[in-house]
Amino acid sequence: MSPQDSLWLELDRPSNLMVITSLLWTATPIDPDRLRALLRERLLARYPVFRQRPVLHDGVLRSGSWVDDDDFDLDRHLVVGTVPAPGDQAALQAFVGTQRGTPLDLAHPLWQVHLLQGYRGGSALVQRYHHAMADGVRLTQVMLGLLDPVDGEDVTLSARVGRRSPVTPLPEPAGSGMSLLRTLGSLVKIALWSNPDSVLDGRPGVAKSVAWTEQVQLDALSRMAHATGTTVNDVCTTLVAGAVSRYLDDAPLGRRSMRPGDDDLAWMVPVNLQAADREPPPELGNHFALVLAVLPHGPTGFRERLAEVHRRMVRIRQSWEPVLTYGMAWGIARSPSVLGTAASRFMADKAVGVLTNVPGPREPMAIAGARVEGTVAWAPCSGHQGLTVCIFSYGGGVTFGFGTDDAVLPDPDLLVAALGAELASAEHAVLGAGVG
């Protein structure tokens, strides 16, 4: 087990488990026997860690191992049941929220899949994998590896994933110097940043909740990006920032002591540093960076917020900040355990939450013969973070998933409603009235 992987085990807390949760739902029921065979073929046979349990070794420096689970039983990890009554989205959300607060058994491999029958005429599949096994991109690849294209064509992701150098290099000869300058600015930002007080602050508890939107058509988001000279990622990020801004405006004492003009809030944004191959390496593991993205959450119009989000994200993309933060994480993982854990939590507390963007396949997919209707996921929070947001694209649509801590933000459905209002405002501002 690499030091980076074992660090995720040390960061586990009852209030914030280091578990990546994903959900997909199908048009028709998934056959349990076909799913078992699929898991044996595409998980157990390909990735040894799915049959191994973690062992952390005593010592000042962090070390651990994956060892075979002699008592491995697939039925311990694949749990078949039904969606709790009345079987609607609210019931499924409550189930997933409870799972987000339930620890995995360290005596066995750190994953579990719940197959729930009876959701909208089909099935819901809740997948939970510990971050020590792999990073979010590789686990997304693992999840997508369980799927087959409906039409038999090759699968294409909706966006490119993974790059080590600046994504948008500046022209030479000044380009390298400007990238270095922006990287130094990133270092100052990371060292000095602290968020203003807001309702997003708090002490997380054990209980968690989730909610997600209906699919937003990717074509509409692409048209907004094209019309404004930005990217689909910029548009989605701006929609989330605007939704959180609306939530802060509506929640009692939502902004607390946030002063006018002091409406920037920082998020942890994962950046993959390796290109997403068709299939991840057998050992999986973690190879990604977390950048501190400071986003504008003040009351403003969508176009103005989008322009500012685009400007700030370009500065990150034209810097070496992802490589810098990966190097910091590499050093933290190899430092004495007490020091490394404290440093990781210190960095986590600079952000109000985690914001991820997962590019899934453009084509419709099926699992064990059942067509997948939609999918969404949630990265884990750490430290005092109480909010995780995932933007998941699949089959020509985008789903926004909100994961919250009940002690900090007990009402993720309000965030879903705020996202809907922000989307309507954005479409009107950019594409004109009557566009959906």
Side-chain angles (χ1 to χ4, degrees):
M1 185 185 301
S2 74
Q4 291 100 315
D5 297 344
S6 62
L7 176 61
W8 290 105
L9 287 172
E10 293 185 1
L11 292 177
D12 248 334
R13 296 292 186 277
S15 58
N16 267 327
L17 301 171
M18 297 296 103
V19 178
I20 298 170
T21 304
S22 70
L23 166 70
L24 64 81
W25 55 96
T26 59
T28 57
I30 297 173
D31 179 78
D33 291 334
R34 289 188 65 177
L35 181 60
R36 284 190 187 91
L38 195 66
L39 294 175
R40 290 191 182 98
E41 175 190 354
R42 301 188 188 180
L43 289 189
L44 303 182
R46 293 180 182 178
Y47 310 110
V49 73
F50 279 89
R51 299 184 64 97
Q52 296 173 330
R53 60 183 178 86
V55 175
L56 285 177
H57 308 307
D58 294 333
V60 175
L61 294 179
R62 184 176 297 102
S63 64
S65 303
W66 295 108
V67 299
D68 290 338
D69 182 7
D70 295 333
D71 192 31
F72 179 81
D73 181 359
L74 180 56
D75 286 335
R76 182 184 293 114
H77 300 274
L78 173 59
V79 181
V80 180
T82 58
V83 179
D88 56 7
Q89 181 169 322
L92 182 57
Q93 288 180 172
F95 179 88
V96 177
T98 298
Q99 289 299 308
R100 285 192 63 229
T102 303
L104 295 168
D105 187 353
L106 292 172
H108 300 287
L110 297 180
W111 65 280
Q112 193 167 52
V113 173
H114 287 263
L115 172 58
L116 304 178
Q117 307 288 27
Y119 182 63
R120 294 183 174 180
S123 302
L125 198 68
V126 182
Q127 303 175 65
R128 303 181 65 229
Y129 307 114
H130 200 284
H131 218 313
M133 298 173 65
D135 59 48
V137 169
R138 289 176 174 175
L139 285 175
T140 298
Q141 291 175 275
V142 169
M143 182 195 77
L144 296 178
L146 297 175
L147 309 183
D148 296 298
V150 171
D151 56 13
E153 298 293 330
D154 288 341
V155 177
T156 57
L157 297 182
S158 57
R160 184 180 62 182
V161 177
R163 180 166 177 156
R164 181 178 294 274
S165 59
V167 174
T168 313
L170 291 161
E172 297 295 346
S176 296
M178 185 60 68
S179 293
L180 178 60
L181 183 62
R182 289 181 174 177
T183 304
L184 293 175
S186 298
L187 185 60
V188 173
K189 172 191 68 177
I190 294 169
L192 301 181
W193 181 261
S194 62
N195 284 311
D197 293 338
S198 75
V199 74
L200 303 180
D201 303 328
R203 295 278 177 172
V206 173
K208 309 296 180 185
S209 295
V210 302
W212 57 88
T213 67
E214 295 296 326
Q215 270 202 341
V216 178
Q217 289 304 303
L218 187 58
D219 285 346
L221 299 173
S222 298
R223 281 185 283 139
M224 282 193 277
H226 179 74
T228 55
T230 61
T231 68
V232 171
N233 185 60
D234 292 335
V235 171
C236 292
T237 300
T238 303
L239 288 172
V240 172
V244 172
S245 178
R246 290 173 181 266
Y247 181 90
L248 292 174
D249 285 337
D250 294 340
L253 301 178
R255 295 186 183 271
R256 289 194 195 164
S257 63
M258 294 177 76
R259 301 179 298 273
D262 189 23
D263 294 310
D264 287 349
L265 295 171
W267 295 75
M268 287 294 184
V269 177
V271 176
N272 196 49
L273 297 180
Q274 291 182 337
D277 298 324
R278 192 173 296 269
E279 186 174 319
E283 66 275 11
L284 295 177
N286 287 271
H287 192 89
F288 75 108
L290 282 169
V291 300
L292 193 70
V294 180
L295 302 179
H297 289 79
T300 187
F302 176 80
R303 277 185 172 272
E304 293 75 15
R305 195 190 314 275
L306 175 59
E308 184 61 19
V309 167
H310 176 69
R311 185 185 71 83
R312 297 183 188 187
M313 298 308 290
V314 164
R315 290 183 65 88
I316 292 175
R317 289 195 290 264
Q318 290 180 343
S319 77
W320 295 87
E321 181 174 345
V323 178
L324 171 69
T325 55
Y326 178 78
M328 294 170 60
W330 187 93
I332 287 172
R334 283 159 177 76
S335 65
S337 295
V338 174
L339 178 61
T341 302
S344 295
R345 294 177 66 81
F346 172 77
M347 292 298 297
D349 289 344
K350 289 182 175 290
V352 295
V354 180
L355 176 59
T356 61
N357 192 322
V358 180
R362 293 178 179 272
E363 299 81 6
M365 307 290 286
I367 182 166
R371 183 186 180 105
V372 176
E373 294 288 277
T375 183
V376 69
W378 297 269
C381 295
S382 61
H384 292 150
Q385 297 167 359
L387 175 61
T388 179
V389 183
C390 180
I391 304 162
F392 205 119
S393 57
Y394 164 74
V398 177
T399 302
F400 294 79
F402 296 90
T404 63
D405 179 272
D406 287 4
V408 181
L409 291 93
D411 42 14
D413 285 319
L414 295 182
L415 287 166
V416 170
L419 194 287
E422 189 67 15
L423 175 62
S425 176
E427 290 179 331
H428 187 277
V430 178
L431 303 178
V435 179

